[in-house]
Amino acid sequence: MTFENEVRRSRAWFGAAGRSGMIYRSWLRNQGYGAEVFDGRPVIGIASTWSELAPCNAHLNRVAESVKHGVWQAGGFPLEFPVMATGETLMRPTAMLYRNLLAMQAEELIRANPLDGVVLLSGCDKTTPGMLMGAASVDLPAVMVTGGPMLNGKFRGQDVGSGTHVWKFEEDLKAGRMNQEECFVAEGCMARSNGHCMTMGTASTMACMAEALGMQLPGSATWPAVDARRFEVAQEAGRRIVAMVEEDLRPSAIMTRAAFENAIRANAAIGGSTNAIVHLSALAGRLGVELDLDDFDELARPVPTIVDLMPSGRFLMEDFCYAGGLPVVLRDLAEAGLLDADAQTVTGKGVGANVAAAECWNRDVVRPLAEPLQAAGTGTAVLRGNLAPGGAVIKQSAASPGLLRHTGRAVVFDTPEDYHSVCDDPDLDIAADDVIVIRGAGPSGYPGMPEVANVPVPTKLLRAGVTDMVRICDGRMSGTGYGTVVLHVTPEAAVGGPLALVRTGDAVTLDVPARSLTVEVSDDELQRRRAVWKQPEPAHASGYGWLYIQHVLQADQGADFDFLVGARGAAVPRESH
């Protein structure tokens, strides 16, 4: 047997002589591979978050087969392996608690195995950023393939969106406009195919972010999960990763500062989830890219929202796909000078070249920049003030314009559960002009920073016709959610942030145009309250939960672990003897 390409990383395993090489090769051959696969060709890992416990990712085994076809076609040797699935739909207390564990597992599995490049298969909210974070820290050639959105939901002759209509149906149920039997019927109409949420929730947003960053093939973020072209693009990714290994094209050369700026502007244009801020911040930390929370506001301000998708608009991802998908948005931004067209991508070309020929087939779905869904400056805003010295965020396009400047009486709840235990009480002391404050939902306090901030309006107010209120929380909200909700308040209450000092009856002022969030209490009074404040006991005293609480960073730094920030490279681990 002769071996070539000794510089290839996998040769440290499969090109070894004597007992070592024999062990590595012989055990793989028990799967029926012939000796020819060890001839020096690139070994490509297919890292899959397939799981039946993550419904958004339950079809990724089929996607993996298409990737393998492409790898074989290009002369590579594909090997699929599992990485934990963090499905927001089933995991408690929140999949966000496990994003960093997924990233750690992906990183270590990629590094520990004889791989020259990797294809990352993801779907649900946290799997896409988690896989990108792990791959960034190893920095082997990598390409992302997301699983795609579900087909549009259909209920009573209308399109319904996953997540977004969950909140709407809940409001209708509480207000007496629907009964429970009708809700059961609606469930099956809302989720009617494989795939992730078909609204512009976090899963769709992060798929688009992977493409905007240059880590996913052009146009591949939006193909529905069950469309044949989803499998076609997966096969193309399999071919492309073999070429990327030959070119030594790595994530660090793609996900540069310019790429993150492109992604932030793209997120504004598509009306993407606020969760992109947390995930992009964590990813930038892995790559050593300087990215400040205020960048998300400043870079997005000149960009209007032009994609008319729920929860901000009317349409769904299937419509976005058929209208031309993200390439149309990126081309429009590039033509307006709002995109760095030279930023490199997994194609080996700049993003501008990738999208130069993109055409829009439905300007109701992807509007012209001159006729946007929301004007420039109305995207995600970063707020600061004595209630959020480290920052907070609000998705303006999902908020009520009349509440973007508002002062109201705080009604404070120490946990989300405290609120839910009384929100249906007809005698609850709350009015439409009040501000609901929910704390204890931050990265370390819950722990995991769950999607609990967009709590429903109290039932008695819903029945009176109130549809929105100002809500403030140190947690997150689903990207499919809507309402005037201030999120990611930093520092969180559990570590002594000012949110911990607010009391029911305090006046709280939200002024989004001024980018401020304040509690109308003197500094002296806040200091007196701090002197008697006691930090709550942590939720975990051992295990992974304890590790998380001890090492998680605040939301403005992406809620990554402090010991995982930065890249550790792909050096071949020491051989066992």
Side-chain angles (χ1 to χ4, degrees), residues 385-400:
N386 71 347
L387 197 49
V393 303
I394 185 170
K395 186 175 179 178
Q396 296 182 79
S397 62
S400 299

Side-chain angles (χ1 to χ4, degrees), residues 205-467:
T205 296
M206 292 313 299
C208 290
M209 292 299 92
E211 186 174 328
L213 284 166
M215 288 297 294
Q216 182 155 221
L217 290 172
S220 62
T222 58
W223 288 118
V226 294
D227 194 301
R229 288 161 291 189
R230 168 62 51 195
F231 305 108
E232 182 180 325
V233 79
Q235 187 165 299
E236 183 183 352
R239 292 193 298 269
R240 180 59 197 151
I241 188 62
V242 175
M244 289 174 65
V245 170
E246 299 289 349
E247 298 162 10
D248 197 28
L249 179 55
R250 299 171 182 256
S252 58
I254 296 171
M255 291 189 285
T256 61
R257 168 73 188 196
F260 280 94
E261 291 183 2
N262 285 346
I264 291 169
R265 291 189 173 116
N267 191 52
I270 64 176
S273 169
T274 51
N275 289 309
I277 296 174
V278 176
H279 298 316
L280 290 175
S281 297
L283 182 56
R286 295 296 185 99
L287 293 153
V289 172
E290 293 293 330
L291 197 65
D292 186 81
L293 182 61
D294 291 323
D295 288 331
F296 289 89
D297 193 319
E298 293 168 8
L299 290 167
R301 280 205 192 205
V303 182
T305 301
I306 60 173
V307 177
D308 191 351
L309 258 64
M310 299 180 194
S312 301
R314 299 171 292 166
F315 298 101
L316 295 166
M317 285 295 287
E318 195 176 347
D319 307 302
F320 183 31
C321 177
Y322 304 151
L326 191 68
V328 172
V329 175
L330 298 179
R331 187 207 62 192
D332 288 352
L333 293 177
E335 290 179 350
L338 294 170
L339 197 78
D340 187 331
D342 295 325
Q344 192 172 33
T345 71
V346 291
T347 67
K349 297 183 288 188
V351 62
N354 287 343
V355 303
E359 295 186 64
C360 184
W361 305 108
N362 189 335
R363 279 298 182 186
D364 288 333
V365 178
V366 184
R367 300 196 185 185
L369 284 168
E371 302 172 27
L373 177 69
Q374 300 275 354
T378 58
T380 298
V382 175
L383 313 173
R384 295 190 186 272
N386 71 347
L387 197 49
V393 303
I394 185 170
K395 186 175 179 178
Q396 296 182 79
S397 62
S400 299
L403 291 175
L404 294 179
R405 276 198 176 104
H406 181 81
T407 298
R409 178 187 72 127
V411 181
V412 182
F413 300 90
D414 285 328
T415 69
E417 292 79 10
D418 286 349
Y419 174 75
H420 286 288
S421 69
V422 299
C423 69
D424 293 329
D425 185 348
D427 298 321
L428 180 64
D429 179 17
I430 197 164
D433 289 339
D434 289 340
V435 175
I436 298 173
V437 176
I438 295 179
R439 58 196 177 201
S444 64
Y446 200 76
M449 202 182 177
E451 295 179 346
V452 296
N454 56 328
V455 296
V457 172
T459 300
K460 79 171 193 178
L461 297 180
L462 280 172
R463 289 177 174 165
V466 177
T467 58

